Amino acid sequence: MARRFTGDKLVIASHNAGKIRELAALVAPFGVRVVSASELGLIEPEETGITFADNATLKARFGAASAEAPALADDSGLVVPALHGAPGIYSARWAGPDKDFAIAMERIHRELGERDRRAYFVCALALAWPDGHCDVFEGTVHGSLVWPPRGQRGFGYDPMFVADGQQQTFGELDPELKHRISHRADAFNKLITACFA
Amino acid sequence: MARRFTGDKLVIASHNAGKIRELAALVAPFGVRVVSASELGLIEPEETGITFADNATLKARFGAASAEAPALADDSGLVVPALHGAPGIYSARWAGPDKDFAIAMERIHRELGERDRRAYFVCALALAWPDGHCDVFEGTVHGSLVWPPRGQRGFGYDPMFVADGQQQTFGELDPELKHRISHRADAFNKLITACFA
């Protein structure tokens, strides 16, 4: 059973400006004051988990313990079953320190060759408390990979991903539509229903 | 089209005594003299690939270029679809420097919880030449994960893996039977057929 959110302050356990903005907007309707790990000067824990849920949990727990307040963290990535799950939890790291996703996409395309191009995005959202309690919610969106990449919107692997039922890649899709069908939206909805609604 | 093996010397691009022994035994019937990367004093390249095939290829290519002779390399691991492919290419690394697979298995068991316990082992074998040509053969064995682990045979995640059609784990199975149905046998057979037979 998930623990309902009761406090008035929530730490966003992230140093990524985009993620902080997105997560803050999500909980804004519930009158929650948001403060980020960056603002608090918290360090980033090493992501040693073997799953998205594991990494989200360790980031949220670390944030909650450090800030002595409930903390929300996100871990997400692209899973290609024909590549035995790659790039998976290493999705961001494969793009290197320069976040060069053009190279990362090229690499996936090359490795895939004639294999099955189905893929899915995963987002794990973890809400942790200073006493160690943590609830995790996992969202997914299934689709397939196209080549060449298309579109300037979104980020990461978006330009090569077409969600089931769509024609456009996540790099081309209207952001509002993307945010309604994405893995992050799926995880968000589960979190909100269980802890905030 | 795979290149047929024509030389008389083959480098086993590994520093793992068990793997060297296993690969040497495989090619012995074809009158090939085998020398290991350890014997040649070659360093181990960093495994920066995103797939088993990628890692096997880079190890084999590195061995072939360094030794100026054809080189054979192996990369293998356990893939759990319900964990989005984890531990995958990080199977060995998750056991830590002490190769503590008891902890790695416990971790997988804990993360799995009530999820689907189906899993498969993958083995990629790469045969590379000094001119850069490389052929890769991938083998798999499908099954499911049990808890608690059973059996003292095998290594790695073997004690928690039961292959489809078997009752015993890879840690309990007669080694001869295991070597006939394993992911490594599957990859071996493909390599032999294409390059040595």
Side-chain angles (χ1 to χ4, degrees), chain A residues 8-128:
Chain A
D8 63 343
K9 186 175 105 177
L10 178 65
V11 176
I12 307 288
S14 173
H15 291 75
N16 177 318
K19 273 190 195 175
I20 294 167
R21 232 182 357 253
E22 216 172 297
L23 293 167
L26 165 79
V27 295
F30 301 96
V32 177
R33 188 163 53 92
V34 153
V35 54
S36 75
S38 318
E39 289 173 80
L40 294 172
L42 303 182
I43 62 163
E44 288 188 80
E46 211 194 332
E47 299 187 14
T48 54
I50 74 168
T51 58
F52 300 102
D54 207 10
N55 278 333
T57 299
L58 75 86
K59 286 187 275 188
R61 280 213 173 109
F62 183 84
S66 304
E68 296 182 341
L72 185 64
D74 154 286
D75 199 57
S76 50
L78 179 71
V79 176
V80 186
L83 296 182
H84 309 304
I89 57 169
Y90 297 90
S91 294
R93 278 167 270 187
W94 284 121
D98 298 334
K99 305 275 175 222
D100 190 340
F101 283 95
I103 288 178
M105 287 191 286
E106 171 90 45
R107 196 168 176 184
I108 288 173
H109 169 67
R110 181 169 43 79
E111 300 246 4
L112 261 181
E114 300 300 307
R115 299 181 197 224
D116 185 344
R117 302 211 145 229
R118 290 198 51 78
Y120 61 94
F121 278 114
V122 178
C123 171
L125 278 176
L127 178 58

Side-chain angles (χ1 to χ4, degrees), chain A residues 22-23 26 74-76 120-125 136-142 170 176-194, chain B residues 84:
Chain A
E22 216 172 297
L23 293 167
L26 165 79
D74 154 286
D75 199 57
S76 50
Y120 61 94
F121 278 114
V122 178
C123 171
L125 278 176
V136 195
F137 305 91
E138 208 171 88
T140 53
V141 57
H142 289 262
F170 265 16
E176 211 176 297
L177 174 57
K178 185 200 151 188
H179 290 147
R180 220 161 46 227
I181 65 173
S182 77
H183 49 311
R184 197 159 283 116
D186 188 17
F188 275 178
N189 291 338
K190 289 171 183 167
L191 167 76
I192 292 299
T193 304
Chain B
H84 309 304

